[in-house]
Amino acid sequence: GAGVSQSPSNKVTEKGKDVELRCDPISGHTALYWYRQSLGQGLEFLIYFQGNSAPDKSGLPSDRFSAERTGGSVSTLTIQRTQQEDSAVYLCASRPYTLATEAFFGQGTRLTVV
Amino acid sequence: KNQVEQSPQSLIILEGKNCTLQCNYTVSPFSNLRWYKQDTGRGPVSLTIMTFSENTKSNGRYTATLDADTKQSSLHITASQLSDSASYICVVTLNSGNTPLVFGKGTRLSVIA
């Protein structure tokens, strides 16, 4: 498709389970970001992929969070042993490397941990 | 520390009225600043971009200003409509290729009839 695609759009999981969230960026975009948005809060940076460079993982809140980007395209964010405080909307964005261009966001995955 | 602060946190206005949202940043080195609109349940969408040399830019009823000296930006919405109800997020890009965008927490605007 033409935009950033995220799946699933909604996910309800039990506390302690693992979840995987998927992001398909815009074709050709080399930069990919994961953000988290808790209810009523701003966007919290999680991780950043840029081409073949080592990802910037400085925003991951704990070692339960990890992300991969295979073949420079699709990315998967994995949360292990989910906790209730992990409940949030997880947004993925991609952009071309050029600094002046905008980031294009997916619709997000709403994760609810019960 | 690179930060982007937005005010007010939330705002309620009557349909047809104007409003101004503020963004202050301490990001350096600055590349550009974008205002995004985020409708409920959707991802943010860019409204306008401001680079270092630009002071004012309009996009329909939206006008953004930038003062690079004081590191302040504003987004003015004219003749507000119910569909303007959304979160407005200020995002600054650093002038470096491997640094994430720096987001403000957003202003939640509600336009009521």
Side-chain angles (χ1 to χ4, degrees), chain B residues 29-41:
Chain B
F30 174 87
S31 175
N32 62 69
L33 181 149
R34 279 188 185 269
W35 283 93
Y36 283 79
K37 179 185 180 186
Q38 185 179 21
D39 292 310
T40 301

Side-chain angles (χ1 to χ4, degrees), chain B:
Chain B
K1 181 179 179 181
N2 290 319
Q3 286 188 315
V4 176
E5 302 286 342
Q6 291 189 242
S7 62
Q9 187 175 34
S10 62
L11 182 63
I12 302 174
I13 62 173
L14 292 174
E15 185 180 13
K17 297 296 186 182
N18 305 336
C19 66
T20 300
L21 315 179
Q22 300 290 344
C23 174
N24 297 338
Y25 60 93
T26 58
V27 167
S28 180
F30 174 87
S31 175
N32 62 69
L33 181 149
R34 279 188 185 269
W35 283 93
Y36 283 79
K37 179 185 180 186
Q38 185 179 21
D39 292 310
T40 301
R42 305 185 73 83
V45 176
S46 177
L47 288 173
T48 185
I49 180 174
M50 305 293 289
T51 58
F52 185 86
S53 59
E54 295 175 310
N55 298 119
T56 303
K57 184 178 288 186
S58 292
N59 177 6
R61 293 180 297 102
Y62 300 98
T63 298
T65 66
L66 176 67
D67 185 333
D69 291 330
T70 61
K71 298 187 177 181
Q72 295 179 328
S73 177
S74 67
L75 181 68
H76 185 75
I77 304 175
T78 303
S80 61
Q81 300 176 357
L82 297 178
S83 59
D84 293 333
S85 297
S87 289
Y88 291 83
I89 304 171
C90 176
V91 183
V92 180
T93 301
L94 294 173
N95 191 19
S96 171
N98 290 317
T99 307
L101 309 172
V102 185
F103 283 77
K105 291 191 180 296
T107 292
R108 178 67 199 174
L109 174 66
S110 298
V111 180
I112 60 176

Side-chain angles (χ1 to χ4, degrees), chain A residues 35-68:
Chain A
Y35 289 88
R36 177 169 71 174
Q37 189 173 36
S38 300
L39 185 64
Q41 300 297 311
L43 285 155
E44 174 190 4
F45 167 71
L46 296 177
I47 189 168
Y48 166 60
F49 295 91
Q50 175 58 62
N52 295 321
S53 303
D56 178 353
K57 303 180 181 181
S58 60
L60 294 178
S62 76
D63 58 9
R64 296 187 294 106
F65 288 73
S66 62
E68 292 184 334

